[in-house]
Amino acid sequence: MSEQQSLPLFTEKYIRGTLKHEIFYNEENWYGIVRIQIEEATEPIKEADVIVVGHFPRPHPDEIYTFYGTWKTHPKYGDQYDAHRYERETPKTKSGVEKYLASGLFSGIGKKLAKRIVDALGVDALTIIANDPDQLSTIPGISPQRARAIYESVLEHQQLERTMVFLYEFGIGVHLALRIYQTYKDQTMTVLTETPYRLIEDIQGIGFKRADEIARTTGIAPSSPERLKAATLYVLQEASYGEGHVYYMYFALLEDTIHLLRDIGGHDFDMDDFDAGLEELVQGSKIIWEDERVYLPSLYFAEVGFAKRLRYFADRGVLAEYPASEFYQAIGQVEDELAITYAQQQRDAVEMAMTEGLMLLTGGPGTGKTTVIKGICHVFAQLNGISLDVESYDPMENPFPILLVAPTGRAAKRMSETTGLPAMTIHRLLGFKGDGFEHDNQNPVRGKLIIVDEMSMVDIWLINQLFRALPDDIHVVMVGDPDQLPSVGPGNVLHDMVESRLLPMVQLTEIYRQAQESSIIQLAHAIREGVVPADLLSKQQDRRFFTSSPQDVVQAVKQICSGAVLKGYTAKDIQVLAPVYKGVAGVNQLNIELQELFNPKSDQKREVTFGETIFRSGDKVLQLVNNADEQVFNGDIGEVVAIFHPKENEENEELLVVSFDGREVQYKRSQYHQLTLAYCCSVHKSQGSEFPIVILPFVKNYYRMLRRKLAYTGVTRSKSFLLMCGDPDAFRIAVESNDEGVRYTYLQKRLRQPD
């Protein structure tokens, strides 16, 4: 919305005035409560000043604001003016312009420089700067470079404000609006008014309905082909990244797209319109249409590329051969060193890893996958004359040749702890840089053996990136449990590889003695078989089920946590898992309740508010996105160790400092969206991790998520104690429900039927 210099039209009620006093202001969402000195209004006002509430940029003295809205009466604070929108006039006095320039809104302008600028350019300084920035260079002490920086700062503020005001009309908050502005910069308003459907592709968090509302407001016709194409692309994106499909069937895409548009209304498209739009999307390289399958290009090339690369590794067959005596001598020596005895199934797995260039190792909890991984590393080293003294290697000239990787930082850490060897995330191995990877087919990683753990979590895009970057002669071992939840991202990679029967595979089935003593592992295997054990409600040495009603389940979780704390456990030891985010027993509400239990408000603890979340010193937090610069990744859990106010640091910004296993990462306020509280997290987010104590609520409110794989994955996160609560019947529904839903992937057929 452009700034207005003239008086507003009298057809809309308004009040007009200047800031007298700020009562409250939230920089994050622009919500303010301010007292305005009235200069003009469309209806008589008895008082000289009034309280105005609403969303607007922080007012500054000497600025004149016109607020459009309605009066309301607050039960406690009395009459208030509820502003629906606003217009701002720049100051009209030299003093006002000086204060405005020195207000902190504009980079590099302090009080002294503001005075010099106004002395030289006069009361119209802002207009002159915006229209003729070279005038700044005529002022003594302002270099052309500094003049340019001031001009860009003034222009950016004006454009950003216009963007914020425009988007607020559509319910788009400050953080999302900032992301939109940072994406398009000075082209933001052009995109919003001329090509608003671009938002769906470019901005995470903008769906079709919101983009369509903007488009309709800016005059794009409901019958526009661009509208149909945008809806089609949106449905395909939702199918891929919301439901995990690598492709979507043509008729399903047609039906969902037409249904979406009919729900919104405005124009009834038919199949011919849809096909024409689909062809245009193909021509524009927005989609790939293969037979009845419709793909996003990135997923199509990932699936085709991975299938081709996987067949290459499989077709190598036996990569190395060793005399039987040499292998048995090596494995015997490793057994002596590690003080273990491998069962025949485990020996077979180790031997296959030595000879085959590619293999799958699968198995549930207690079947010894980690023992086999460690054995593979040690026997491979024995047979190939490799030292396991990592310190003896030069990372640049002669890197350690055994690569251990997992999808998440916590899974990699666990892998390192169980093997005694370095492990890392797949992203870190590939040199993730935010917009790409350092390693690819032109610059492969260096190694002789790679073991990829937690394969059930790896989606089709990431596994393709990994295989592109592997050298042709490397031994590849992929390890996972196909009974766990599939990846959050598109694809069902582990399942498809197992079902293709293309790869050499060892499936560990025997549960070993120590594991047999764990009732948690026994429960996990019962769940896998779809059986509710008769002793579910009986107290076991390492697990319990506390029955409670749905309305009391949150209190039950808190009581269980309190009991654990009294026994000396901390928030780091205890992980509450829930399958959904919303609702009274969802992740979001449980985090609020558990924060007050584990880390209550205190005068000794600093805290900041971000949206509906309070971050407090000592809080357990979860990283939500991959941050290549700081090498922290989605799923990493840390602790808030410090909060700094703007005046306490060189950046002059509010900072949150989080420690991830001793490695401290700073977050500016604009980065807070990367974090969330982690006292409770989703079962999906917990994959690849183990916790001493896991607390799992089961209520029928979760009915859509009560599935066997979800229950199995949650239970198997527990290392020592499993404490369940809620409705036993909800647990039964989950265990007996093996309807995991279909994920559309073509990987199996591509593996079986090479081009």
Side-chain angles (χ1 to χ4, degrees), residues 144-158:
Q145 293 80 9
R146 194 173 190 188
R148 184 72 188 176
I150 292 171
Y151 160 72
E152 289 177 350
S153 181
V154 169
L155 202 63
E156 181 176 7
H157 178 72
Q158 292 177 349

Side-chain angles (χ1 to χ4, degrees), residues 50-87:
V50 300
I51 300 291
V52 176
V53 300
H55 295 265
F56 38 78
R58 180 171 244 149
H60 289 272
D62 297 304
E63 290 183 298
I64 299 173
Y65 282 83
T66 302
F67 294 101
Y68 298 86
T70 56
W71 288 100
K72 68 177 185 179
T73 302
H74 190 281
K76 184 176 180 180
Y77 301 110
D79 291 341
Q80 298 178 339
Y81 196 76
D82 187 9
H84 301 153
R85 67 184 183 90
Y86 80 97
E87 292 171 355

Side-chain angles (χ1 to χ4, degrees), residues 266-510:
H267 183 76
D268 200 5
F269 294 95
D270 59 24
M271 184 182 290
D272 289 339
D273 297 326
F274 178 78
D275 284 350
L278 212 58
E279 287 290 355
E280 286 188 29
L281 288 170
V282 171
Q283 294 301 317
S285 300
K286 298 290 187 181
I287 65 167
I288 290 177
W289 189 358
E290 184 181 73
D291 298 328
E292 296 301 306
R293 302 181 299 279
V294 184
Y295 291 82
L296 293 172
S298 62
L299 299 181
Y300 173 82
F301 291 118
E303 185 177 79
V304 171
F306 175 60
K308 182 177 180 180
R309 192 70 173 143
L310 192 66
R311 287 200 309 270
Y312 167 80
F313 278 102
D315 289 346
R316 294 178 306 170
V318 173
L319 202 60
E321 294 185 275
Y322 305 95
S325 58
E326 194 173 329
F327 170 75
Y328 289 125
Q329 181 181 353
I331 200 167
Q333 191 169 337
V334 169
E335 286 179 324
D336 290 341
E337 288 176 3
L338 303 180
I340 58 175
T341 301
Y342 288 108
Q344 188 58 50
Q345 206 175 48
Q346 294 176 317
R347 281 177 167 244
D348 292 342
V350 174
E351 185 173 12
M352 181 179 288
M354 296 306 105
T355 57
E356 296 287 346
L358 178 70
M359 73 166 286
L360 277 177
L361 176 66
T362 68
T367 58
K369 293 194 302 295
T370 55
T371 302
V372 173
I373 290 173
K374 190 171 185 178
I376 290 171
C377 294
H378 282 257
V379 173
F380 189 83
Q382 287 277 0
L383 292 175
N384 291 277
I386 294 171
S387 169
L388 293 179
D389 178 11
V390 180
E391 298 298 323
S392 65
Y393 291 86
D394 182 335
M396 299 300 294
E397 299 297 327
N398 180 33
F400 187 57
I402 298 177
L403 307 175
L404 305 181
V405 297
T408 67
R410 292 186 67 83
K413 182 183 177 185
R414 195 177 71 179
M415 201 178 185
S416 182
E417 290 170 347
T418 56
T419 61
L421 298 172
M424 66 188 77
T425 63
I426 297 172
H427 283 83
R428 187 174 177 188
L429 172 70
L430 298 180
F432 181 58
K433 297 181 292 185
D435 58 351
F437 294 100
E438 177 186 350
H439 294 288
D440 55 20
N441 57 327
Q442 299 299 315
N443 180 30
V445 299
R446 296 166 66 185
K448 296 181 179 179
L449 166 69
I450 184 169
I451 303 178
V452 189
D453 200 6
E454 297 291 350
M455 273 297 304
S456 63
M457 299 175 64
V458 183
D459 62 47
I460 189 66
W461 184 84
L462 184 58
I463 196 65
N464 181 52
Q465 299 302 316
L466 176 61
F467 268 67
R468 288 178 71 230
L470 294 181
D472 291 346
D473 59 350
I474 196 170
H475 285 255
V476 182
V477 178
M478 292 178 283
V479 185
D481 183 349
D483 292 306
Q484 286 191 30
L485 288 167
S487 57
V488 175
N492 204 354
V493 176
L494 179 59
H495 172 268
D496 287 344
M497 289 193 299
V498 170
E499 292 300 316
S500 74
R501 309 298 179 195
L502 173 73
L503 282 62
M505 181 174 71
V506 172
Q507 183 178 9
L508 301 175
T509 55
E510 183 179 348

Side-chain angles (χ1 to χ4, degrees), residues 443-609:
N443 180 30
V445 299
R446 296 166 66 185
K448 296 181 179 179
L449 166 69
I450 184 169
I451 303 178
V452 189
D453 200 6
E454 297 291 350
M455 273 297 304
S456 63
M457 299 175 64
V458 183
D459 62 47
I460 189 66
W461 184 84
L462 184 58
I463 196 65
N464 181 52
Q465 299 302 316
L466 176 61
F467 268 67
R468 288 178 71 230
L470 294 181
D472 291 346
D473 59 350
I474 196 170
H475 285 255
V476 182
V477 178
M478 292 178 283
V479 185
D481 183 349
D483 292 306
Q484 286 191 30
L485 288 167
S487 57
V488 175
N492 204 354
V493 176
L494 179 59
H495 172 268
D496 287 344
M497 289 193 299
V498 170
E499 292 300 316
S500 74
R501 309 298 179 195
L502 173 73
L503 282 62
M505 181 174 71
V506 172
Q507 183 178 9
L508 301 175
T509 55
E510 183 179 348
I511 304 174
Y512 293 95
R513 185 182 59 80
Q514 186 177 358
Q516 288 175 347
E517 296 172 0
S518 165
S519 73
I520 299 172
I521 290 177
Q522 292 173 4
L523 176 63
H525 285 275
I527 292 172
R528 192 179 66 174
E529 298 300 321
V531 174
V532 178
D535 64 358
L536 176 67
L537 301 182
S538 302
K539 182 179 179 180
Q540 305 294 322
Q541 183 178 352
D542 54 1
R543 69 170 166 87
R544 290 282 304 275
F545 196 115
F546 300 91
T547 303
S548 68
S549 62
Q551 57 268 30
D552 294 330
V553 74
V554 173
Q555 191 60 33
V557 170
K558 291 170 68 177
Q559 288 178 351
I560 294 169
C561 290
S562 297
V565 170
L566 289 174
K567 292 180 181 179
Y569 293 98
T570 69
K572 290 181 180 179
D573 305 315
I574 304 165
Q575 188 59 58
V576 180
L577 302 177
V580 297
Y581 283 90
K582 297 180 180 179
V584 293
V587 171
N588 297 336
Q589 185 59 38
L590 282 166
N591 265 320
I592 293 171
E593 301 278 350
L594 295 172
Q595 183 186 42
E596 290 307 306
L597 173 67
F598 286 113
N599 193 30
K601 186 179 180 67
S602 164
D603 292 338
Q604 285 73 47
K605 297 174 185 174
R606 289 187 172 186
E607 62 179 47
V608 294
T609 301

Side-chain angles (χ1 to χ4, degrees), residues 532 536-537 545-554 556 585 696-702 706 724-735:
V532 178
L536 176 67
L537 301 182
F545 196 115
F546 300 91
T547 303
S548 68
S549 62
Q551 57 268 30
D552 294 330
V553 74
V554 173
L696 270 173
F698 284 92
V699 292
K700 288 183 180 177
N701 299 34
Y702 297 155
L706 291 177
M724 297 171 286
C725 61
D727 185 351
D729 199 40
F731 178 87
R732 178 191 60 76
I733 292 170
V735 172

